Amino acid sequence: MDEETPADKPHAQIDIKSPPPPPPPFSFSVDNVNPEKNTEVEGKFPFFKSRYRQRASDTWLISFFVILHLLAFITTMLFNYFSLGTALFQPLSENPLLGPSASTLDKVGALRRTFLAQTNQTWRLFVCPWLHAGLIHFSINIGCMVFVGIHLERDYGPLRIGIIYLVSAFFGSLVCSLFVGNSPVVTSSAALFGLLGAMLSGLIRNWKVYTSKCAALLVLFIVFAVNFLLGLLPYIGNFANIGAFIPGLLLGFVLLFTPQIRQMSKNKMGLFEYSVKRSSNLKQKLKFGMPVLRGVSLLLFTILLVGCLIAVFRGIDINQYCEWCRFVDCLPSKRWSCNDRTNACENALSSAF
């Protein structure tokens, strides 16, 4: 019997093992951190465009504010239609924002110098922050407010964001009343600028742990610039926007000191992210924040609030001391007028109702 040559022997089979599956993605959670250990755990905490677990309880406050703004805008437009008996929107030459007439804004609660100085209608300071000058103003303002506020509420909770929102809105009305002239002005964008100021304070406060700082500042600048340029059109109080941004910034240093990190979903990142290093020292820093900065911010906010209240009750008109300030509230153009353009026909129709 012939012996098998090496060439005749069958080749040995080589088992090719598939590579092991990759480890599951790491999800950061405060509960998984042992503060007794000195090891640092890295994670990502999203800011804008965050991938949170979608829950209705995360954004109920901003949703409630949006509903109030929507009801106020619908009421204003219906009041404009039934009181004047004309089209739902006024001509672009009268209102370039696709909105109501000047007389309608006066009746629903807009700010005007004569209402504050002569008749002392201070209730307008509380109603004006919910009014919009037109459909364009409403769409841009609400869109930016949802974009900014919904993430702030998820990160810091509805209580702190609600305080910043309402206080900034009222503060904006106070500042606007110091610059308002003879045309009606609404201040619904003031709350948005207060949220922008609070968001900027959060970025400054956590500057060392943020990533993509340039992207964060760019987004804030774009939202600020778009709404500020929109405020150069008639019936929008740009001084209310500026006046609300400063208290929003100060209140952000006071209130936004502990983000709710444990709500982050697994392996998800957003536009605004920062590396969260969890050690016992950093955890204590996030908990107690910077007492000096918080104290100084609270003191400055109190001084500004008291000063604005005194100036409003005394009926101070800053336009008498600043000739160019009126161009910040409304930039003149051939396509619209910055003065009150209520004509005689409109007055007759308004008085009839």
Side-chain angles (χ1 to χ4, degrees):
M1 188 174 180
D2 297 336
E3 297 181 355
E4 293 181 354
T5 61
D8 296 333
K9 293 181 179 181
H11 296 283
Q13 296 181 355
I14 301 176
D15 296 334
I16 301 176
K17 297 181 178 181
S18 59
F26 173 76
S27 61
F28 176 79
S29 176
V30 177
D31 298 333
N32 296 331
V33 177
N34 187 359
E36 297 178 356
K37 296 181 181 180
N38 293 327
T39 57
E40 294 182 349
V41 182
E42 298 286 344
K44 293 288 185 180
F45 180 67
F47 211 88
F48 278 149
K49 293 186 179 180
S50 60
R51 311 287 180 84
Y52 280 86
R53 298 181 181 93
Q54 299 296 326
R55 296 185 306 177
S57 60
D58 289 339
T59 59
W60 68 267
L61 183 66
I62 296 298
S63 302
F64 177 70
F65 286 155
V66 170
I67 293 175
L68 290 181
H69 281 288
L70 179 61
L71 292 177
F73 180 71
I74 293 176
T75 303
T76 302
M77 299 311 302
L78 291 178
F79 191 90
N80 181 74
Y81 176 77
F82 289 110
S83 61
L84 299 181
T86 57
L88 191 62
F89 302 102
Q90 297 301 115
L92 294 179
S93 59
E94 180 180 350
N95 190 335
L97 296 166
L98 289 178
S101 64
S103 62
T104 299
L105 291 175
D106 286 334
K107 292 180 179 180
V108 296
L111 293 178
R112 191 193 282 259
R113 171 61 54 185
T114 55
F115 295 147
L116 297 175
Q118 299 177 5
T119 59
N120 197 22
Q121 299 180 12
T122 56
W123 59 269
R124 294 178 178 270
L125 297 175
F126 302 93
V127 176
C128 190
W130 305 101
L131 302 178
H132 288 82
L135 181 61
I136 298 176
H137 182 210
F138 176 82
S139 302
I140 296 178
N141 182 58
I142 294 299
C144 294
M145 187 184 73
V146 171
F147 177 71
V148 174
I150 202 170
H151 296 281
L152 281 176
E153 185 180 355
R154 286 172 174 173
D155 293 349
Y156 297 99
L159 178 60
R160 288 180 282 182
I161 300 305
I163 293 174
I164 294 176
Y165 186 97
L166 295 176
V167 173
S168 299
F170 177 69
F171 208 106
S173 296
L174 290 178
V175 176
C176 182
S177 62
L178 299 176
F179 294 89
V180 68
N182 295 323
S183 297
V185 172
V186 297
T187 62
S188 55
S189 300
L192 170 63
F193 277 76
L195 296 180
L196 290 176
M199 186 169 294
L200 179 60
S201 65
L203 177 63
I204 297 174
R205 191 180 186 91
N206 302 282
W207 184 262
K208 293 183 179 180
V209 292
Y210 266 101
T211 60
S212 303
K213 301 179 183 67
C214 294
L217 292 175
L218 180 61
V219 171
L220 288 175
F221 175 78
I222 291 176
V223 176
F224 185 98
V226 169
N227 287 272
F228 181 82
L229 293 176
L230 188 66
L232 298 177
L233 297 177
Y235 308 131
I236 300 179
N238 232 357
F239 282 106
N241 300 336
I242 301 174
F245 180 82
I246 298 175
L249 179 67
L250 296 176
L251 288 178
F253 285 124
V254 175
L255 298 176
L256 305 186
F257 51 88
T258 309
Q260 299 175 351
I261 302 175
R262 66 180 61 198
Q263 293 184 2
M264 189 183 63
S265 60
K266 297 181 179 180
N267 197 28
K268 301 297 183 181
M269 296 183 296
L271 176 60
F272 280 41
E273 300 167 346
Y274 62 82
S275 177
V276 181
K277 299 179 179 180
R278 300 300 296 180
S279 63
S280 58
N281 294 333
L282 184 58
K283 186 177 181 180
Q284 184 178 5
K285 180 180 178 181
L286 289 175
K287 183 177 181 180
F288 297 102
M290 303 176 185
V292 177
L293 179 61
R294 294 174 63 187
V296 172
S297 300
L298 183 59
L299 178 62
L300 292 176
F301 170 77
T302 305
I303 294 174
L304 289 176
L305 179 60
V306 173
C308 288
L309 287 173
I310 294 175
V312 170
F313 288 138
R314 289 188 175 182
I316 295 178
D317 184 6
I318 300 183
N319 291 319
Q320 297 178 356
Y321 312 98
C322 179
E323 297 182 356
W324 56 268
C325 288
R326 64 180 185 273
F327 299 111
V328 178
D329 246 350
C330 181
L331 192 63
S333 174
K334 296 180 180 179
R335 298 184 178 182
W336 63 78
S337 175
C338 292
N339 298 321
D340 188 4
R341 298 191 61 181
T342 306
N343 51 41
C345 181
E346 183 178 332
N347 287 329
L349 289 175
S350 301
S351 60
F353 292 90

